[in-house]
Amino acid sequence: MSLVWPLLLSCALFGIGLYGVLARRNAILMLIGVELMLNAVNLNLVAFDAWWGDALRSGQSLTLFMIAVAAAEIGLGLAIVLGLFRATGSADVDLAVVDTDEQADGAR
Amino acid sequence: MTALTGAVLAQNALSAADLPQIGAPAIEYGTLSPVLAITATALIGVLVEAGAPRRARFGLQSAVAIVGILAALAATVWVSIHDLGKVSFEGTDLLARGKTVAEGALVVDGPTVFLWGLLLVFALVSMLMFAERGLEGGLSGFTGQAAVAPGGAGEREATMAGIEHTEIFPLAMFALLGMMVFPASNDLLTMFVALEVLSLPLYLLCGLARRRRLLSQEAAVKYFLLGAFSSAFFLYGIALVYGYSGSFTLAAIDTAVSNQIAGQNLLLAGMALISVGLLFKVSAVPFQAWTPDVYQGAPTAVTAFMAAGTKVAAFGALLRVFFVGFGGAQWDWRPLMMIVAVLTMVVGAVVLIRQTDVKRMLAYSAIAHSGFILTAFAGAYEGSAGTATITSVSAVMFYLAVYGFSTIGAFAIATLVRDGGGEVGHLARWAGLGRESPVLAGVFALFMLSFAGIPLTAGFMGKWTVFSAAWSGYAWPLVVAGVLTSAVAAYFYVRVIVLMFFADPEGDGPTVAVPSVMTSAVIAVTAAVTIVLGIVPGPVLDLAQNAGTFVR
């Protein structure tokens, strides 16, 4: 198979993820966008690895590292988003979260 | 079925015999001892969290962190004496000193060891701020119960019971571990893992402020989302560079770049995307949007740690990737970096003028200072044997030392100016601070003068070194832009000083809390360093000069 096809698919995935992050305002959906971008990178790495015939398989090794790190990242990210959700009742990042202290400070 | 499995096994055995033997990797434990000491400190911190009684935990955790950092500092000094041998190439000594370790995954050379020392000292000072409990009535500046909603009954209960999150210390140690590995990594895989180890604990720490928790949580969400976003770009860049060169090691990438083995488009796109990830971490324009919000929302101790530590680590990594990996393509990336440097200085300095909040002001100041450091980076002056002119690498390292101390000191003072609702952020309410506490206001004025780059403060020496390196690299437009924006920023810094000393306080004015010995020590040390580096910069400058260049 030509190298172009996996690269094109990966580009498309990355673009969709990018669009998701930029267009969505819900933190969870933005996280999904980031995951799509990361998986586009994974696909890219595996394709390049196969193309180079890398004896050390470094591309695939990085893919494994990325899968592990992305899982950790999502776990941590969901915890942070959950904290925000408990505080404001919404996972929307655009809702202006105005702190009462801050308001008082600004009014002075 | 069994026959099939047998056939597969036989096939596997055959291919296994064809593969080369894999020996156990050689790890230079002595050379890596500073990193290993911090890893051990972080893991001990986790165990203390699990085993120690709640009452004893805070003291124990802070003691573990501080002792661990001191041990790592001692190890760094040892490494700098024993492991930084001259590197020779075909009989002649090169400027670089040091060696690659851990099968080429990490490189311990002059710049690495200098940056390790800086990171450890900054972490030590920041840990003293983390451990400060004199300002919130015997509790730390971190929330007692991160999991409950702000302002609710659970939070009050936790405060009454004196519950504290002591996980902050191991988290900070893991972040420090990432910061130490980041500028030392010799391949992009290690660099990626270090970047995540550095970032993930910081995302969490940002959301743990005791006061203004909503602002803090918002800062954490923002930092996390943008950080994950930028690391996706960084990774895509790594993938493209891998596609170009077929390897992650910086030396192999350098070979590929110098020989121009494939289409340049892949390389250019890869370099651009990698620089997005790294420039995000140093908060260069146009990737600076997160900085003010995160610096303002995060607990001030974390902001200080992050502002100094992340900047050191990220600039170290930026320099290593671009000087070692992409050095052969520097005429491709230098013009772009020059534009980024000018933009960063201009946006940082101009927006700085309009700030009304102390922590946001320090954030824009951080952006402007990133711009000044980028001038030396974009100048890319590597020096030559026999000349004493300061190189870009040395200039950046010296500036990072100068900037880190002043910024930690300034944030430490920001924790002390308080009213009933916590820290007073609004600059208008700092009016008349000079009458309330002349010493504190005087020290803050010292940091402002250092940021502005007034002679006899460390900031002046820092600016002089970076502009000198940029000049040697024929980047004189950057020097002109840097001097002009310094003047613009100086206007603001002087205005803050005028405000503190010559303006009448609004109402009853803020009060200055009496800190425990921890924060006092932080302010004393950072102020002393700021003065000493301004008057006798020689020893530290020599250290930075002697660190030489990167080992390839």
Side-chain angles (χ1 to χ4, degrees), chain B residues 322-487:
Chain B
F322 278 85
F323 283 14
V324 177
F326 302 137
Q330 58 166 286
W331 295 111
D332 292 320
W333 57 259
R334 274 181 64 184
L336 200 66
M337 288 300 169
M338 288 183 185
I339 296 171
V340 170
V342 171
L343 273 180
T344 309
M345 288 189 290
V346 169
V347 170
V350 170
V351 185
L352 176 67
I353 295 177
R354 297 197 43 81
Q355 293 314 303
T356 53
D357 182 278
V358 175
K359 285 165 83 178
R360 288 185 87 84
M361 179 269 276
L362 289 170
Y364 278 104
S365 159
I367 296 172
H369 285 278
S370 282
F372 296 136
I373 302 177
L374 281 172
T375 58
F377 167 59
Y381 178 64
E382 305 217 35
S384 49
T387 56
T389 326
I390 192 156
T391 61
S392 286
V393 177
S394 309
V396 168
M397 290 193 301
F398 183 75
Y399 201 102
L400 287 169
V402 165
Y403 170 76
F405 280 109
S406 303
T407 201
I408 291 182
F411 278 116
I413 289 177
T415 62
L416 297 185
V417 183
R418 310 175 74 88
D419 63 6
E423 292 162 15
V424 175
H426 211 274
L427 264 180
R429 302 206 56 222
W430 281 49
L433 194 69
R435 289 175 214 172
E436 171 81 25
S437 170
V439 176
L440 202 71
V443 176
F444 197 74
L446 170 72
F447 293 137
M448 290 298 109
L449 291 176
S450 177
F451 284 149
I454 305 294
L456 291 184
T457 60
F460 173 73
M461 292 314 299
K463 285 222 171 76
W464 181 78
T465 52
V466 289
F467 291 157
S468 151
W471 191 271
S472 308
Y474 304 108
W476 61 267
L478 292 187
V479 180
V480 174
V483 171
L484 289 178
T485 48
S486 297

Side-chain angles (χ1 to χ4, degrees), chain A residues 9-32:
Chain A
L9 177 59
S10 140
C11 260
L13 272 180
F14 195 81
I16 294 169
L18 185 64
Y19 174 78
V21 176
L22 295 178
R24 298 290 182 170
R25 282 293 145 247
N26 185 309
I28 307 282
L29 293 175
M30 287 172 82
L31 272 180
I32 294 174

Side-chain angles (χ1 to χ4, degrees), chain B residues 41-201:
Chain B
T41 311
L43 294 177
I44 292 171
V46 173
L47 292 180
V48 168
E49 199 56 43
R54 175 168 273 164
R55 289 283 158 205
R57 234 184 259 163
F58 195 89
L60 205 55
Q61 285 284 26
S62 41
V64 165
I66 287 169
V67 170
I69 293 174
L70 286 174
L73 260 179
T76 308
V77 172
W78 187 84
V79 167
S80 75
I81 295 169
H82 288 272
D83 287 321
L84 290 185
K86 286 260 182 212
V87 179
S88 305
F89 180 69
E90 293 174 353
T92 49
D93 280 349
L94 299 179
L95 287 169
R97 298 155 70 223
K99 58 185 178 185
T100 54
V101 293
E103 300 285 351
L106 294 172
V107 49
V108 178
D109 53 10
T112 302
V113 174
F114 187 92
L115 294 177
W116 280 358
L118 268 190
L119 284 168
L120 289 167
V121 172
F122 291 160
L124 183 66
V125 185
S126 310
M127 284 310 114
L128 294 179
M129 283 176 72
F130 273 53
E132 170 68 60
R133 293 166 102 188
L135 302 174
E136 298 278 2
L139 293 172
S140 70
F142 294 88
T143 178
Q145 280 285 44
V148 300
E155 195 181 54
R156 277 195 298 279
E157 271 169 35
T159 310
M160 296 293 281
I163 298 172
E164 286 168 289
H165 274 301
T166 47
E167 295 92 339
I168 51 172
F169 291 102
L171 280 174
M173 288 302 105
F174 279 119
L176 176 61
L177 170 66
M179 289 174 187
M180 288 173 73
V181 176
F182 198 35
S185 24
N186 198 30
D187 62 44
L188 295 173
L189 196 160
T190 316
M191 194 168 268
F192 158 68
V193 175
L195 175 75
E196 295 297 330
V197 172
L198 175 174
S199 312
L200 293 182

Side-chain angles (χ1 to χ4, degrees), chain A residues 10-11 14 18 21 31 38 41 44 48-49 52 54 58-59 62 69 73 77 80 83 86-87 99 101-102 105 108, chain B residues 147 150 189 192-193 196 200 212 214 217 221 224-225 228-229 233 235-236 239 242-246 248 419 429:
Chain A
S10 140
C11 260
F14 195 81
L18 185 64
V21 176
L31 272 180
L38 290 179
V41 177
N44 223 339
F48 277 131
D49 184 299
W52 277 101
D54 191 341
S58 22
L62 180 56
V69 170
E73 199 168 13
I80 292 175
R86 282 201 182 139
D99 191 275
D101 278 352
E102 184 63 17
D105 221 341
R108 279 195 194 109
Chain B
L189 196 160
F192 158 68
V193 175
E196 295 297 330
L200 293 182
R212 297 190 187 158
L214 275 180
Q217 285 186 338
V221 171
F224 170 75
L225 283 176
F229 191 51
F233 278 101
L235 281 164
Y236 204 76
Y242 175 67
Y244 174 78
S245 65
F248 289 127
D419 63 6
R429 302 206 56 222

